[in-house]
Amino acid sequence: MKQPLTSAASKTSAIDLPISGMTCAACATRIEKVLNRLPDVHAAVNFATEKAHIEYPAATLATADLIAAIRKAGYDAREPTTTSDAERKAERITVYRQDLRLFTISAVLTLPFFALMLYMLTGVPQGDLLRGAHHAAWFPPMAQLLVATPVQFWIGRRFYIGAYHALRGGGANMDVLIALGTSMAYFYSAAVVLAGIEGHLYFEAAVSIITLVFLGKLLESRARARASAAIEELIKLQPQTARVERDGVITEIPVAQLRTGDTFIVRPGDAVPVDGKVMEGRSSIDESLLTGESLPVTKNAGSTVYAATINAQGLLRCTATGVGADTALAGIIKLVEQAQGSKAPIQRLADVIAGVFVPVVIVIAAVTCAGWWWYSGSFADALVPAVAVLVIACPCALGLATPTAIMVGSGAGARAGVLIKNAEALEHAGHIDILVLDKTGTLTRGKPAVTDLVAIGDTSETTLLQVAAALEAGSEHPLARAVIDHAQSRGVTPAPVKDFTAVTGRGVQAMLDGTIALLGSPRFLGEEGIPLHDSEVARLQNEGKTVIAVAHNGQALGLIAITDPLRPNSAAAVAALQALGIEVVMLTGDNRRTAEHIAREAGITRFEAEMLPQDKARHVNVLQQQGRHVGMIGDGVNDAPALAAAQVSFAIGAGSDVAIHAADVTLMRSDLMSAVDAVRLSRATFRKIKQNLFFAFFYNVLGIPLAAAGLLNPVIAGAAMALSSVSVVSNSLLLKRWRPQQPGK
């Protein structure tokens, strides 16, 4: 059962703080621990997005307190700003270019050392270099010291600063490993040169490690920017200008100046600037960016239009109903950002390991150094494997394994019209083995129509429709809309009623001409002691139609039969879900005969009929108690309790706001095939995460023993460490190839 984010005792606020200074997963874990020690604070730090999502008691803590705690831990944070996305991107590009210049300088200074290493591969012992052999005259020991020093302390100062802050905050991170390893190599070599003692030089190891790690961070930063490209792509879709009609004059203004209630014009080929209602005109609009559905949608007076969708042909005159952060596109962007910044349960394993990893590595390096020193009797011989252990063990890849895959996966889902609220939902979607779904609006189109009017006794069809339309007038249920629309099409005016009351899951009642009028299922009227033509009810239900009975003053007026056909892809979607190993169960409040007919058409063998909302939720709980991983799909208010009870819930995008808010995943296409896409995307994403974690763990499990055994040169270790992070992010980026399943394939 999902838990609320707010406490009844105190108001809980939530904030996303940008964090700087993190260099690996251990940093994120350290910040989380510091924040979660504060009273009633729940924090999750995402290394990939460099943000902390924090829920805190607003009555006792302020944002400044949270920032102070982060700074005390050795990192920096700032309050979220209203800086535009273009400005933030420009800032990132500026920082990247500065780092690129530093790397270029570092690479140029490191080139002589690479040349020296190649020269050493010819078999010339490095001891000859110390003795001033003629073939080493071009790069004598003192020159090595002078060239290595700026790399160590200017280019590499970020590692010393990061290590200092981490140690001051009581933790250890990647910077500690790099600073410690390169310092050991540099200071030992400097002592050899300045004291004139006999020994090997390891300047090339120190400068090469710093340069390669710097290169790895640059490549990693570039790859992470690509991983978050889904947000930028969505933001780019937002129109910049709008054509507004004021006092009969049409002017073009920035979209930011539009206000709710303004009248705007959308010409053929234009993007709709904000959400609105069509007042005049008729056209078709491409809504694929919101729903993933390629077919254009017809719009006329009364239709809803959405920001950034494209008007194909006709001229539309609309009223703005949602501007700024209130548009559907802005809501999608916010959901994707939340999903990309959240943590999947599988990430906890990596966080736990990262939290203890660096101290353990330092101990292993110390033991390695002591062991080799004892074995060989030479500190120089002990130095190389110890440095290699420190360098190879960086946990960057471990920290990037999960969040980068989540970022790319949730972005791919948004492009396909599958909006995932958080990483937990993305993970659970792939684990479900049974999917519970509603009938009306989920399996079926959700736009039923009246097919039969069966008046009883002396009642006319007009009277039957008058009473039925009056009793359904206050309802938004699709069946109620079908009755009202049919009455309007026949020019029937609803009769006036008073004291309207809804009987949950059964029907409605009201006072008509001083006596009680009832409308609902045949079972409801039977419970009220009103006899019906059971044979007619059975005949209509056997045809797969939903039957509504109407009564007034204790007498049955007649029956209304309504049919709601399956959505075109429902049967294919059910088959696809079953092919994925997921059992499909239909729960409906409709009668058993209608439910059986729809289930048979959809290919569903297990269903329950005549269920109240609380029955659906209870059924979901029973399945979970049996050890099943339950998903739930619904579209109506009556589905909200079951959606909240399920381990992962899906709401049809065209459904009620209550259902959408209660669900973990919103299917913008209003198509059951989108649920198949959500499951496939979840499984693809977590295959990537498992691959990433395997490679990150395998890399360290294999690399540390090799380094400790003296079989791994520190320079090679530095290159491997840098490339491991890049490979993990690159593997996650392969998710961009994921595409929704086409019906029938």
Side-chain angles (χ1 to χ4, degrees), residues 245 289 344 532 538 546:
E245 181 182 316
L289 73 94
L532 297 169
T546 299

Side-chain angles (χ1 to χ4, degrees), residues 433-650:
D433 55 24
I434 186 166
L435 185 63
V436 175
L437 45 81
D438 177 47
K439 177 181 73 69
T440 305
T442 303
L443 273 173
T444 62
R445 291 179 182 272
K447 293 183 178 179
V450 173
T451 58
D452 300 86
L453 293 174
V454 181
I456 297 176
D458 297 332
T459 305
S460 66
E461 290 185 354
T462 300
T463 301
L464 175 62
L465 269 178
Q466 277 184 323
V467 176
L471 290 168
E472 295 282 38
S475 175
E476 287 299 320
H477 192 280
L479 297 181
R481 292 306 314 170
V483 172
I484 294 168
D485 290 345
H486 192 71
Q488 290 175 345
S489 69
R490 294 183 56 161
V492 175
T493 303
V497 296
K498 296 180 180 180
D499 302 329
F500 178 89
T501 304
V503 182
T504 304
R506 288 180 170 83
V508 296
Q509 68 179 40
M511 297 300 293
L512 173 63
D513 296 333
T515 56
I516 295 177
L518 301 173
L519 179 146
S521 66
R523 177 182 174 184
F524 173 50
L525 267 65
E527 291 172 351
E528 296 296 322
I530 299 174
L532 297 169
H533 291 174
D534 293 339
S535 59
E536 278 297 298
V537 172
R539 179 183 67 81
L540 295 170
Q541 290 179 343
N542 285 335
E543 294 174 1
K545 299 173 181 176
T546 299
V547 180
I548 294 175
V550 184
H552 181 219
N553 195 23
Q555 299 294 320
L557 298 183
L559 306 172
I560 300 176
I562 300 172
T563 188
D564 182 14
L566 281 178
R567 293 183 184 275
N569 293 332
S570 288
V574 169
L577 287 165
Q578 292 168 342
L580 290 171
I582 299 172
E583 182 182 2
V584 180
V585 177
M586 183 182 77
L587 304 182
T588 179
D590 216 332
N591 68 85
R592 184 168 186 82
R593 289 192 183 94
T594 301
E596 186 175 10
H597 179 83
I598 292 294
R600 186 167 54 251
E601 280 193 324
I604 297 172
T605 57
R606 183 174 174 183
F607 66 91
E608 297 290 340
E610 300 180 358
M611 299 198 81
L612 301 175
Q614 57 268 34
D615 295 331
K616 293 181 180 180
R618 193 178 301 114
H619 194 88
V620 168
N621 287 326
V622 168
L623 290 172
Q624 289 174 335
Q625 289 167 8
Q626 294 172 355
R628 306 297 295 271
H629 294 278
V630 184
M632 168 71 190
I633 305 181
D635 75 317
V637 175
N638 63 326
D639 297 320
L643 289 170
Q647 284 153 315
V648 60
S649 49
F650 307 82

